[in-house]
Amino acid sequence: MCGIVGLFLKDKALEPKLGSMLSEMLVLLTDRGPDSAGIAIYGAATGNEAKITVQSSKPERDFRGLDAELAKAIGAPVSVAVKSTHAVIRTTPEKIDAAREALQSLRPDIRIMGAGQSIEIYKEVGLPEAVVDRFDVRSMTGTHGIGHTRMATESAVTTMGAHPFSTGADQCLVHNGSLSNHNNVRRELKRDGMTFETENDTEVAAAYLSNRMAHGKNLGEALEGTLSDLDGFYTFVVGTKNGFGVVRDPIACKPAVMAETDQYVAFGSEYRALANLPGIENAKVWEPEPATVYFWEH
């Protein structure tokens, strides 16, 4: 059944608390998904730095010496910050594509979780509390983020099958539900140049949005397109560099609740995920309507 959370901060004073707030929201939904969990955190972009979050099943082997080898391969400074099975690789924005390409040859077993100027994605098999502790998510700062705890129904329980899925720069998506036409949509997107790493239907939804935004749509317009082009039962929560969006399918059988105050917009699969947020007692709280797009941008 899966559990989803999302938090978009309006009040800069809350940014140092984003990781702790989002982590608590996700942990409160643990019983909705015991298989795997993940969180995407959007930090402030500097404009002169880009980063790639990567994962390895053998981090001691794959991350050792990676900074020097990658810097030599792309001809630019590189730093590598290791967090358990994940690492955040930082370099200049103009070298980010070269770094991704070099990684494939230097460390073929490394998997890319996400890339961009502000996004970091951490996901692994296990319960939410174990995942947020493993990657010290509670200490992270940022402007917005989304999270997911998974109960697998259609694909294997693996790190790559965990959410969020990222298929574009500073873009990611979490999903509760099941798509019935994902194989057809995947084929269409492949013909348009999109690539896939899993057979998961959620990766198709993420790629669909990335593809539409690459063709000039904004986040709201791309989310509108899901209502006609994707079949099934779904709730999507999406992050971009500056934005945060939510959409439910026209039947809307998957649970969802939202809250908004002057300080934040929050999403949870159940109200208990929102119950400890500051000022929740005075928030506007509502169930998002079926076939209705909600999105906010900084």
Side-chain angles (χ1 to χ4, degrees):
M1 56 184 172
C2 301
I4 301 175
V5 296
L7 188 59
F8 179 88
L9 299 180
K10 302 177 183 180
D11 184 354
K12 286 185 174 296
L14 288 179
E15 291 181 7
K17 301 178 181 178
L18 176 67
S20 62
M21 293 168 68
L22 195 63
S23 295
E24 181 178 12
M25 292 169 69
L26 190 60
V27 170
L28 287 168
L29 296 183
T30 294
D31 60 0
R32 293 192 63 85
D35 299 328
S36 58
I39 280 184
I41 296 285
Y42 287 85
T46 64
N48 57 6
E49 179 184 82
K51 49 192 174 180
I52 308 171
T53 310
V54 297
Q55 184 269 356
S56 171
S57 60
K58 297 181 179 179
E60 291 186 3
R61 178 198 68 184
D62 286 336
F63 297 153
R64 186 185 305 117
L66 180 59
D67 50 355
E69 293 180 51
L70 197 54
K72 181 179 179 181
I74 67 174
V78 171
S79 68
V80 177
V82 177
K83 283 189 176 183
S84 185
T85 57
H86 287 45
V88 179
I89 300 168
R90 290 176 167 83
T91 187
T92 56
E94 63 271 15
K95 291 291 187 177
I96 197 73
D97 291 336
R100 291 185 68 139
E101 186 175 339
L103 276 170
Q104 294 178 352
S105 59
L106 292 172
R107 299 290 193 276
D109 294 333
I110 276 181
R111 299 298 187 94
I112 294 176
M113 302 286 100
Q117 292 191 329
S118 59
I119 193 172
E120 294 181 23
I121 294 178
Y122 300 93
K123 59 183 186 179
E124 275 291 4
V125 173
L127 297 175
E129 187 158 19
V131 172
V132 300
D133 286 347
R134 186 174 197 169
F135 302 113
D136 196 23
V137 176
R138 289 183 176 90
S139 70
M140 297 183 69
T141 66
T143 56
H144 56 297
I146 63 177
H148 186 273
T149 184
R150 183 178 184 226
M151 180 177 287
T153 57
E154 293 192 5
S155 55
V157 178
T158 64
T159 301
M160 293 306 293
H163 305 204
F165 278 90
S166 179
T167 54
D170 286 314
Q171 298 170 16
C172 69
L173 176 146
V174 294
H175 170 209
N176 182 19
S178 179
L179 301 181
S180 57
N181 68 333
H182 61 95
N183 287 324
N184 289 338
V185 175
R186 185 185 288 108
R187 283 192 290 268
E188 293 173 5
L189 292 171
K190 282 183 176 179
R191 285 195 289 268
D192 202 27
M194 298 298 294
T195 59
F196 295 85
E197 295 196 46
T198 74
E199 295 300 314
N200 194 293
D201 59 341
T202 305
E203 188 180 14
V204 174
Y208 172 88
L209 294 177
S210 296
N211 179 265
R212 293 302 178 265
M213 286 187 278
H215 284 284
K217 303 293 186 183
N218 64 27
L219 174 58
E221 292 167 337
L223 287 170
E224 286 280 359
T226 66
L227 297 171
S228 58
D229 294 340
L230 300 182
D231 294 333
F233 303 113
Y234 56 82
T235 296
F236 298 138
V237 179
V238 181
T240 66
K241 183 178 179 181
N242 299 313
F244 170 80
V246 174
V247 68
R248 302 171 81 196
D249 68 82
I251 297 176
C253 65
K254 298 299 179 181
V257 61
M258 300 194 71
E260 184 171 12
T261 72
D262 292 339
Q263 293 184 296
Y264 58 80
V265 179
F267 175 94
S269 294
E270 299 179 35
Y271 177 78
R272 58 182 162 142
L274 315 181
N276 295 332
L277 291 173
I280 191 67
E281 64 277 2
N282 298 315
K284 172 189 174 185
V285 178
W286 77 99
E287 180 182 350
E289 294 290 333
T292 302
V293 171
Y294 301 85
F295 78 104
W296 291 260
E297 290 185 307
H298 286 120

